[in-house]
Amino acid sequence: MKIQLLLLLLFTLYIQSQHCYHPGMDNYDVIDYNISINLELKEKSFSGNCGITSSILVPTDEFILNASNATLTIDSITLADNHKLKFSHKDNLLLIKLPRIVSEKININLYYNGISDFNGEFSNGGIYFYESDGNIRAATSNQPFFAKKWFPCKDIPSDKATAKISITVPEKLMAVSNGILSNVTQNSNQDKTYSWETKYPIATCLISIAAGEYIPLNESYSYDDGMNFLITYYVYPGYEEKATEDFRNTKKMIAFLENYFGPYPFKDEKYGIAMVAGELTTENQTITSLQESLVTGGGDAEPILVHELAHHWFGNMITPTSWHHTWLSEGFATYAQALYYEYYISKETYYYVMNHFMSVEQGTYAGSVIGKSDTSFWDSFSDRVYFKGAIVLHMLRKVVGDSIFFRILKNYTTNSKHMYKNATTEDFIKECESVYGAQLDWFFNQWVYADTDSIDRPVLTFDWNSKQNENGYDVFVTIKQLSSHIYTYRLPIDISITSSDGEIDYQVISDRGEQVFILKCNSKPLKVELDRENWVFKEMKIQLRIMNNEFHF
């Protein structure tokens, strides 16, 4: 086995070991987290307590949580009445013994301390402590299942709850989290505690803390009715001018997203951006983390900022039920980047962005967009999830037409079945078919579910010739799917014929290995083009013909 494959296997096994699900977690629904954490930044350690209020769904005498064995030491666990509970902590699971079978709401308090093993790389998580030139900083990265590395929780995206997060830091630092800042207190050691609170349900993967010598830069987003919400940028000293320039289009981004997807989902709280060290750029609910290296003053981060802000609709408000369906978050936010440039610049810019997504080597996005594993990091966050996910939406737009496509997106984001809850790919398909008025299983089966391991798109050739008739010309267009031995796609595809009279556009459906389409043209055709605007994800092979002992393309 090559060393690269061995390392990949070991890494996959490590990631899978971090994610532990127990069927006993289905016995309850978390209502609220009340997290208090004290950061010891120089020691790269922390201590805390976490209160968890839950509704019991199935009577049980056992309460099961996720908690990392590598980073967390559980000191004690009590009920709300201070009744001490017995527990075992192994394999990243906390198995808590209740004094009796419980069938109603329950409050459990967990007291713990922890250390960090997080080096700040994208594919790991927990609390990242960073010190440089006398500056000490901390920030969290939870996706997909690293929240349990800094607080005990039910670390799955399908159980959303409200949260209170209190962070104690040295006096010179500021601590930032989700929702609104409800209180700031100072203790006898001169440490400060920043208390934040969410009113909206939040998944554990989106709970965030960040601490540093922040300088807050404030502005507000206003509506015509006089309502507004706060926008705050938490920037490191010396970055004020760069951040002001890089973040100057935030309100413009919100206006664009509201136009397509409905009102900003968390306007009763805030939108914020917190600079962080490490590779921690993440769409945490109401408080995007943006890594320090991206704040340049040159606007380089704008596509990323659009992406992370779009997640507040796709991923934060509507959270995938499981990590199999990450494309509902990442694919949609990636597609929003292309829409943003179409909205503010031009349709040609939109095509440029989408063509860039589709220009990769054949097979780069091979495999189902639906993840095979709920535990493999790179299965949930691979290129096919981001970019093929966006390409799927691009192609869907062409299949159903602009007016229906944008109505689908608006209906999906404003449907009370999904808002502030969870969704699956099947939920999105139902929304699509409801608005479109016809089944689209053929489309999603081939572009989302199909698990092709060697190709990620059809390989096509096309050829044409014409023959004059009494009413003009018949144009014979031959389309071959060279990859049909692996997978045969159904492709609604445009054919454009240019003649001296102008241009005629047809749409045909290629769904076999080889087909000949006979199209009409009033005058002699001069040029025939297949999918000129590149709405279909495909690889084109040049058709080589021999005519009169000459090569023709």
Side-chain angles (χ1 to χ4, degrees), residues 241-258:
E241 288 187 13
K242 290 179 180 179
T244 299
E245 179 61 27
D246 283 344
F247 304 156
R248 65 186 176 88
N249 285 331
T250 299
K251 291 196 286 186
K252 186 176 173 181
M253 296 174 195
I254 295 172
F256 147 70
L257 291 163
E258 288 195 325

mmCIF file with all atom_site columns, all heavy atoms in Angstrom, residues 241-258:
data_model
loop_
_atom_site.group_PDB
_atom_site.id
_atom_site.type_symbol
_atom_site.label_atom_id
_atom_site.label_alt_id
_atom_site.label_comp_id
_atom_site.label_asym_id
_atom_site.label_entity_id
_atom_site.label_seq_id
_atom_site.pdbx_PDB_ins_code
_atom_site.Cartn_x
_atom_site.Cartn_y
_atom_site.Cartn_z
_atom_site.occupancy
_atom_site.B_iso_or_equiv
_atom_site.pdbx_formal_charge
_atom_site.auth_seq_id
_atom_site.auth_comp_id
_atom_site.auth_asym_id
_atom_site.auth_atom_id
_atom_site.pdbx_PDB_model_num
ATOM 1   N N   . GLU A 1 241 ? -8.400  49.087 9.492  1.00 0.00 ? 241 GLU A N   1
ATOM 2   C CA  . GLU A 1 241 ? -8.582  49.609 8.135  1.00 0.00 ? 241 GLU A CA  1
ATOM 3   C C   . GLU A 1 241 ? -8.782  48.481 7.127  1.00 0.00 ? 241 GLU A C   1
ATOM 4   O O   . GLU A 1 241 ? -9.647  48.570 6.242  1.00 0.00 ? 241 GLU A O   1
ATOM 5   C CB  . GLU A 1 241 ? -7.379  50.461 7.744  1.00 0.00 ? 241 GLU A CB  1
ATOM 6   C CG  . GLU A 1 241 ? -7.307  51.805 8.464  1.00 0.00 ? 241 GLU A CG  1
ATOM 7   C CD  . GLU A 1 241 ? -6.203  52.687 7.923  1.00 0.00 ? 241 GLU A CD  1
ATOM 8   O OE1 . GLU A 1 241 ? -5.653  52.364 6.833  1.00 0.00 ? 241 GLU A OE1 1
ATOM 9   O OE2 . GLU A 1 241 ? -5.887  53.696 8.574  1.00 0.00 ? 241 GLU A OE2 1
ATOM 10  N N   . LYS A 1 242 ? -8.001  47.423 7.250  1.00 0.00 ? 242 LYS A N   1
ATOM 11  C CA  . LYS A 1 242 ? -8.142  46.287 6.334  1.00 0.00 ? 242 LYS A CA  1
ATOM 12  C C   . LYS A 1 242 ? -9.528  45.664 6.463  1.00 0.00 ? 242 LYS A C   1
ATOM 13  O O   . LYS A 1 242 ? -10.180 45.344 5.461  1.00 0.00 ? 242 LYS A O   1
ATOM 14  C CB  . LYS A 1 242 ? -7.068  45.242 6.631  1.00 0.00 ? 242 LYS A CB  1
ATOM 15  C CG  . LYS A 1 242 ? -5.652  45.662 6.264  1.00 0.00 ? 242 LYS A CG  1
ATOM 16  C CD  . LYS A 1 242 ? -4.664  44.554 6.627  1.00 0.00 ? 242 LYS A CD  1
ATOM 17  C CE  . LYS A 1 242 ? -3.240  44.958 6.277  1.00 0.00 ? 242 LYS A CE  1
ATOM 18  N NZ  . LYS A 1 242 ? -2.266  43.895 6.655  1.00 0.00 ? 242 LYS A NZ  1
ATOM 19  N N   . ALA A 1 243 ? -9.977  45.480 7.690  1.00 0.00 ? 243 ALA A N   1
ATOM 20  C CA  . ALA A 1 243 ? -11.287 44.869 7.914  1.00 0.00 ? 243 ALA A CA  1
ATOM 21  C C   . ALA A 1 243 ? -12.405 45.756 7.392  1.00 0.00 ? 243 ALA A C   1
ATOM 22  O O   . ALA A 1 243 ? -13.372 45.267 6.788  1.00 0.00 ? 243 ALA A O   1
ATOM 23  C CB  . ALA A 1 243 ? -11.478 44.590 9.402  1.00 0.00 ? 243 ALA A CB  1
ATOM 24  N N   . THR A 1 244 ? -12.287 47.045 7.620  1.00 0.00 ? 244 THR A N   1
ATOM 25  C CA  . THR A 1 244 ? -13.312 47.971 7.127  1.00 0.00 ? 244 THR A CA  1
ATOM 26  C C   . THR A 1 244 ? -13.456 47.867 5.617  1.00 0.00 ? 244 THR A C   1
ATOM 27  O O   . THR A 1 244 ? -14.566 47.881 5.071  1.00 0.00 ? 244 THR A O   1
ATOM 28  C CB  . THR A 1 244 ? -12.970 49.413 7.537  1.00 0.00 ? 244 THR A CB  1
ATOM 29  O OG1 . THR A 1 244 ? -12.938 49.505 8.970  1.00 0.00 ? 244 THR A OG1 1
ATOM 30  C CG2 . THR A 1 244 ? -13.999 50.396 6.997  1.00 0.00 ? 244 THR A CG2 1
ATOM 31  N N   . GLU A 1 245 ? -12.333 47.741 4.930  1.00 0.00 ? 245 GLU A N   1
ATOM 32  C CA  . GLU A 1 245 ? -12.366 47.606 3.474  1.00 0.00 ? 245 GLU A CA  1
ATOM 33  C C   . GLU A 1 245 ? -12.905 46.239 3.062  1.00 0.00 ? 245 GLU A C   1
ATOM 34  O O   . GLU A 1 245 ? -13.766 46.136 2.177  1.00 0.00 ? 245 GLU A O   1
ATOM 35  C CB  . GLU A 1 245 ? -10.958 47.806 2.900  1.00 0.00 ? 245 GLU A CB  1
ATOM 36  C CG  . GLU A 1 245 ? -10.865 47.661 1.385  1.00 0.00 ? 245 GLU A CG  1
ATOM 37  C CD  . GLU A 1 245 ? -11.715 48.665 0.627  1.00 0.00 ? 245 GLU A CD  1
ATOM 38  O OE1 . GLU A 1 245 ? -11.981 49.757 1.162  1.00 0.00 ? 245 GLU A OE1 1
ATOM 39  O OE2 . GLU A 1 245 ? -12.132 48.346 -0.508 1.00 0.00 ? 245 GLU A OE2 1
ATOM 40  N N   . ASP A 1 246 ? -12.438 45.182 3.712  1.00 0.00 ? 246 ASP A N   1
ATOM 41  C CA  . ASP A 1 246 ? -12.845 43.831 3.329  1.00 0.00 ? 246 ASP A CA  1
ATOM 42  C C   . ASP A 1 246 ? -14.317 43.551 3.616  1.00 0.00 ? 246 ASP A C   1
ATOM 43  O O   . ASP A 1 246 ? -14.949 42.755 2.923  1.00 0.00 ? 246 ASP A O   1
ATOM 44  C CB  . ASP A 1 246 ? -11.989 42.793 4.057  1.00 0.00 ? 246 ASP A CB  1
ATOM 45  C CG  . ASP A 1 246 ? -10.598 42.650 3.450  1.00 0.00 ? 246 ASP A CG  1
ATOM 46  O OD1 . ASP A 1 246 ? -10.406 43.122 2.312  1.00 0.00 ? 246 ASP A OD1 1
ATOM 47  O OD2 . ASP A 1 246 ? -9.720  42.057 4.102  1.00 0.00 ? 246 ASP A OD2 1
ATOM 48  N N   . PHE A 1 247 ? -14.859 44.196 4.659  1.00 0.00 ? 247 PHE A N   1
ATOM 49  C CA  . PHE A 1 247 ? -16.229 43.904 5.080  1.00 0.00 ? 247 PHE A CA  1
ATOM 50  C C   . PHE A 1 247 ? -17.234 44.958 4.609  1.00 0.00 ? 247 PHE A C   1
ATOM 51  O O   . PHE A 1 247 ? -18.400 44.915 4.993  1.00 0.00 ? 247 PHE A O   1
ATOM 52  C CB  . PHE A 1 247 ? -16.302 43.799 6.611  1.00 0.00 ? 247 PHE A CB  1
ATOM 53  C CG  . PHE A 1 247 ? -15.367 42.785 7.220  1.00 0.00 ? 247 PHE A CG  1
ATOM 54  C CD1 . PHE A 1 247 ? -14.954 42.898 8.540  1.00 0.00 ? 247 PHE A CD1 1
ATOM 55  C CD2 . PHE A 1 247 ? -14.892 41.713 6.479  1.00 0.00 ? 247 PHE A CD2 1
ATOM 56  C CE1 . PHE A 1 247 ? -14.089 41.971 9.110  1.00 0.00 ? 247 PHE A CE1 1
ATOM 57  C CE2 . PHE A 1 247 ? -14.017 40.779 7.035  1.00 0.00 ? 247 PHE A CE2 1
ATOM 58  C CZ  . PHE A 1 247 ? -13.618 40.913 8.358  1.00 0.00 ? 247 PHE A CZ  1
ATOM 59  N N   . ARG A 1 248 ? -16.800 45.861 3.764  1.00 0.00 ? 248 ARG A N   1
ATOM 60  C CA  . ARG A 1 248 ? -17.660 46.998 3.395  1.00 0.00 ? 248 ARG A CA  1
ATOM 61  C C   . ARG A 1 248 ? -18.900 46.579 2.612  1.00 0.00 ? 248 ARG A C   1
ATOM 62  O O   . ARG A 1 248 ? -19.891 47.328 2.560  1.00 0.00 ? 248 ARG A O   1
ATOM 63  C CB  . ARG A 1 248 ? -16.863 48.026 2.592  1.00 0.00 ? 248 ARG A CB  1
ATOM 64  C CG  . ARG A 1 248 ? -16.361 47.537 1.247  1.00 0.00 ? 248 ARG A CG  1
ATOM 65  C CD  . ARG A 1 248 ? -15.467 48.567 0.570  1.00 0.00 ? 248 ARG A CD  1
ATOM 66  N NE  . ARG A 1 248 ? -14.915 48.078 -0.676 1.00 0.00 ? 248 ARG A NE  1
ATOM 67  C CZ  . ARG A 1 248 ? -15.507 48.196 -1.862 1.00 0.00 ? 248 ARG A CZ  1
ATOM 68  N NH1 . ARG A 1 248 ? -16.688 48.788 -1.941 1.00 0.00 ? 248 ARG A NH1 1
ATOM 69  N NH2 . ARG A 1 248 ? -14.947 47.721 -2.944 1.00 0.00 ? 248 ARG A NH2 1
ATOM 70  N N   . ASN A 1 249 ? -18.886 45.398 2.012  1.00 0.00 ? 249 ASN A N   1
ATOM 71  C CA  . ASN A 1 249 ? -20.046 44.962 1.210  1.00 0.00 ? 249 ASN A CA  1
ATOM 72  C C   . ASN A 1 249 ? -20.971 44.002 1.954  1.00 0.00 ? 249 ASN A C   1
ATOM 73  O O   . ASN A 1 249 ? -21.839 43.383 1.345  1.00 0.00 ? 249 ASN A O   1
ATOM 74  C CB  . ASN A 1 249 ? -19.564 44.291 -0.086 1.00 0.00 ? 249 ASN A CB  1
ATOM 75  C CG  . ASN A 1 249 ? -19.048 45.290 -1.100 1.00 0.00 ? 249 ASN A CG  1
ATOM 76  O OD1 . ASN A 1 249 ? -19.496 46.439 -1.135 1.00 0.00 ? 249 ASN A OD1 1
ATOM 77  N ND2 . ASN A 1 249 ? -18.091 44.870 -1.911 1.00 0.00 ? 249 ASN A ND2 1
ATOM 78  N N   . THR A 1 250 ? -20.807 43.901 3.275  1.00 0.00 ? 250 THR A N   1
ATOM 79  C CA  . THR A 1 250 ? -21.633 42.957 4.030  1.00 0.00 ? 250 THR A CA  1
ATOM 80  C C   . THR A 1 250 ? -23.121 43.256 3.867  1.00 0.00 ? 250 THR A C   1
ATOM 81  O O   . THR A 1 250 ? -23.937 42.357 3.627  1.00 0.00 ? 250 THR A O   1
ATOM 82  C CB  . THR A 1 250 ? -21.254 42.974 5.519  1.00 0.00 ? 250 THR A CB  1
ATOM 83  O OG1 . THR A 1 250 ? -19.887 42.592 5.663  1.00 0.00 ? 250 THR A OG1 1
ATOM 84  C CG2 . THR A 1 250 ? -22.131 42.017 6.316  1.00 0.00 ? 250 THR A CG2 1
ATOM 85  N N   . LYS A 1 251 ? -23.498 44.512 4.000  1.00 0.00 ? 251 LYS A N   1
ATOM 86  C CA  . LYS A 1 251 ? -24.920 44.862 3.876  1.00 0.00 ? 251 LYS A CA  1
ATOM 87  C C   . LYS A 1 251 ? -25.424 44.581 2.460  1.00 0.00 ? 251 LYS A C   1
ATOM 88  O O   . LYS A 1 251 ? -26.578 44.174 2.271  1.00 0.00 ? 251 LYS A O   1
ATOM 89  C CB  . LYS A 1 251 ? -25.138 46.323 4.264  1.00 0.00 ? 251 LYS A CB  1
ATOM 90  C CG  . LYS A 1 251 ? -24.933 46.574 5.753  1.00 0.00 ? 251 LYS A CG  1
ATOM 91  C CD  . LYS A 1 251 ? -25.511 47.895 6.212  1.00 0.00 ? 251 LYS A CD  1
ATOM 92  C CE  . LYS A 1 251 ? -24.685 49.064 5.773  1.00 0.00 ? 251 LYS A CE  1
ATOM 93  N NZ  . LYS A 1 251 ? -25.182 50.340 6.362  1.00 0.00 ? 251 LYS A NZ  1
ATOM 94  N N   . LYS A 1 252 ? -24.572 44.777 1.503  1.00 0.00 ? 252 LYS A N   1
ATOM 95  C CA  . LYS A 1 252 ? -24.905 44.467 0.112  1.00 0.00 ? 252 LYS A CA  1
ATOM 96  C C   . LYS A 1 252 ? -25.153 42.957 -0.051 1.00 0.00 ? 252 LYS A C   1
ATOM 97  O O   . LYS A 1 252 ? -26.070 42.529 -0.763 1.00 0.00 ? 252 LYS A O   1
ATOM 98  C CB  . LYS A 1 252 ? -23.735 44.929 -0.764 1.00 0.00 ? 252 LYS A CB  1
ATOM 99  C CG  . LYS A 1 252 ? -23.921 44.836 -2.254 1.00 0.00 ? 252 LYS A CG  1
ATOM 100 C CD  . LYS A 1 252 ? -22.687 45.435 -2.926 1.00 0.00 ? 252 LYS A CD  1
ATOM 101 C CE  . LYS A 1 252 ? -22.727 45.234 -4.429 1.00 0.00 ? 252 LYS A CE  1
ATOM 102 N NZ  . LYS A 1 252 ? -21.520 45.792 -5.084 1.00 0.00 ? 252 LYS A NZ  1
ATOM 103 N N   . MET A 1 253 ? -24.337 42.149 0.608  1.00 0.00 ? 253 MET A N   1
ATOM 104 C CA  . MET A 1 253 ? -24.515 40.697 0.559  1.00 0.00 ? 253 MET A CA  1
ATOM 105 C C   . MET A 1 253 ? -25.830 40.283 1.203  1.00 0.00 ? 253 MET A C   1
ATOM 106 O O   . MET A 1 253 ? -26.549 39.421 0.681  1.00 0.00 ? 253 MET A O   1
ATOM 107 C CB  . MET A 1 253 ? -23.350 40.002 1.277  1.00 0.00 ? 253 MET A CB  1
ATOM 108 C CG  . MET A 1 253 ? -21.999 40.199 0.653  1.00 0.00 ? 253 MET A CG  1
ATOM 109 S SD  . MET A 1 253 ? -20.703 39.471 1.707  1.00 0.00 ? 253 MET A SD  1
ATOM 110 C CE  . MET A 1 253 ? -19.245 40.225 0.979  1.00 0.00 ? 253 MET A CE  1
ATOM 111 N N   . ILE A 1 254 ? -26.156 40.890 2.336  1.00 0.00 ? 254 ILE A N   1
ATOM 112 C CA  . ILE A 1 254 ? -27.415 40.564 3.011  1.00 0.00 ? 254 ILE A CA  1
ATOM 113 C C   . ILE A 1 254 ? -28.597 40.915 2.120  1.00 0.00 ? 254 ILE A C   1
ATOM 114 O O   . ILE A 1 254 ? -29.551 40.134 1.994  1.00 0.00 ? 254 ILE A O   1
ATOM 115 C CB  . ILE A 1 254 ? -27.504 41.298 4.367  1.00 0.00 ? 254 ILE A CB  1
ATOM 116 C CG1 . ILE A 1 254 ? -26.427 40.789 5.327  1.00 0.00 ? 254 ILE A CG1 1
ATOM 117 C CG2 . ILE A 1 254 ? -28.892 41.106 4.994  1.00 0.00 ? 254 ILE A CG2 1
ATOM 118 C CD1 . ILE A 1 254 ? -26.305 41.582 6.609  1.00 0.00 ? 254 ILE A CD1 1
ATOM 119 N N   . ALA A 1 255 ? -28.542 42.076 1.468  1.00 0.00 ? 255 ALA A N   1
ATOM 120 C CA  . ALA A 1 255 ? -29.634 42.493 0.578  1.00 0.00 ? 255 ALA A CA  1
ATOM 121 C C   . ALA A 1 255 ? -29.822 41.492 -0.561 1.00 0.00 ? 255 ALA A C   1
ATOM 122 O O   . ALA A 1 255 ? -30.956 41.136 -0.919 1.00 0.00 ? 255 ALA A O   1
ATOM 123 C CB  . ALA A 1 255 ? -29.350 43.883 0.029  1.00 0.00 ? 255 ALA A CB  1
ATOM 124 N N   . PHE A 1 256 ? -28.724 41.036 -1.130 1.00 0.00 ? 256 PHE A N   1
ATOM 125 C CA  . PHE A 1 256 ? -28.785 40.047 -2.209 1.00 0.00 ? 256 PHE A CA  1
ATOM 126 C C   . PHE A 1 256 ? -29.427 38.747 -1.710 1.00 0.00 ? 256 PHE A C   1
ATOM 127 O O   . PHE A 1 256 ? -30.334 38.197 -2.343 1.00 0.00 ? 256 PHE A O   1
ATOM 128 C CB  . PHE A 1 256 ? -27.370 39.785 -2.733 1.00 0.00 ? 256 PHE A CB  1
ATOM 129 C CG  . PHE A 1 256 ? -27.114 38.385 -3.200 1.00 0.00 ? 256 PHE A CG  1
ATOM 130 C CD1 . PHE A 1 256 ? -27.698 37.896 -4.367 1.00 0.00 ? 256 PHE A CD1 1
ATOM 131 C CD2 . PHE A 1 256 ? -26.298 37.536 -2.470 1.00 0.00 ? 256 PHE A CD2 1
ATOM 132 C CE1 . PHE A 1 256 ? -27.469 36.596 -4.788 1.00 0.00 ? 256 PHE A CE1 1
ATOM 133 C CE2 . PHE A 1 256 ? -26.059 36.239 -2.879 1.00 0.00 ? 256 PHE A CE2 1
ATOM 134 C CZ  . PHE A 1 256 ? -26.644 35.763 -4.039 1.00 0.00 ? 256 PHE A CZ  1
ATOM 135 N N   . LEU A 1 257 ? -28.963 38.245 -0.573 1.00 0.00 ? 257 LEU A N   1
ATOM 136 C CA  . LEU A 1 257 ? -29.471 36.975 -0.049 1.00 0.00 ? 257 LEU A CA  1
ATOM 137 C C   . LEU A 1 257 ? -30.936 37.083 0.352  1.00 0.00 ? 257 LEU A C   1
ATOM 138 O O   . LEU A 1 257 ? -31.717 36.150 0.133  1.00 0.00 ? 257 LEU A O   1
ATOM 139 C CB  . LEU A 1 257 ? -28.610 36.540 1.133  1.00 0.00 ? 257 LEU A CB  1
ATOM 140 C CG  . LEU A 1 257 ? -27.172 36.112 0.760  1.00 0.00 ? 257 LEU A CG  1
ATOM 141 C CD1 . LEU A 1 257 ? -26.274 36.090 1.992  1.00 0.00 ? 257 LEU A CD1 1
ATOM 142 C CD2 . LEU A 1 257 ? -27.173 34.747 0.081  1.00 0.00 ? 257 LEU A CD2 1
ATOM 143 N N   . GLU A 1 258 ? -31.325 38.209 0.922  1.00 0.00 ? 258 GLU A N   1
ATOM 144 C CA  . GLU A 1 258 ? -32.733 38.399 1.284  1.00 0.00 ? 258 GLU A CA  1
ATOM 145 C C   . GLU A 1 258 ? -33.610 38.424 0.039  1.00 0.00 ? 258 GLU A C   1
ATOM 146 O O   . GLU A 1 258 ? -34.749 37.942 0.065  1.00 0.00 ? 258 GLU A O   1
ATOM 147 C CB  . GLU A 1 258 ? -32.907 39.679 2.086  1.00 0.00 ? 258 GLU A CB  1
ATOM 148 C CG  . GLU A 1 258 ? -32.354 39.603 3.496  1.00 0.00 ? 258 GLU A CG  1
ATOM 149 C CD  . GLU A 1 258 ? -32.843 40.731 4.391  1.00 0.00 ? 258 GLU A CD  1
ATOM 150 O OE1 . GLU A 1 258 ? -33.023 41.860 3.880  1.00 0.00 ? 258 GLU A OE1 1
ATOM 151 O OE2 . GLU A 1 258 ? -33.061 40.487 5.578  1.00 0.00 ? 258 GLU A OE2 1
#
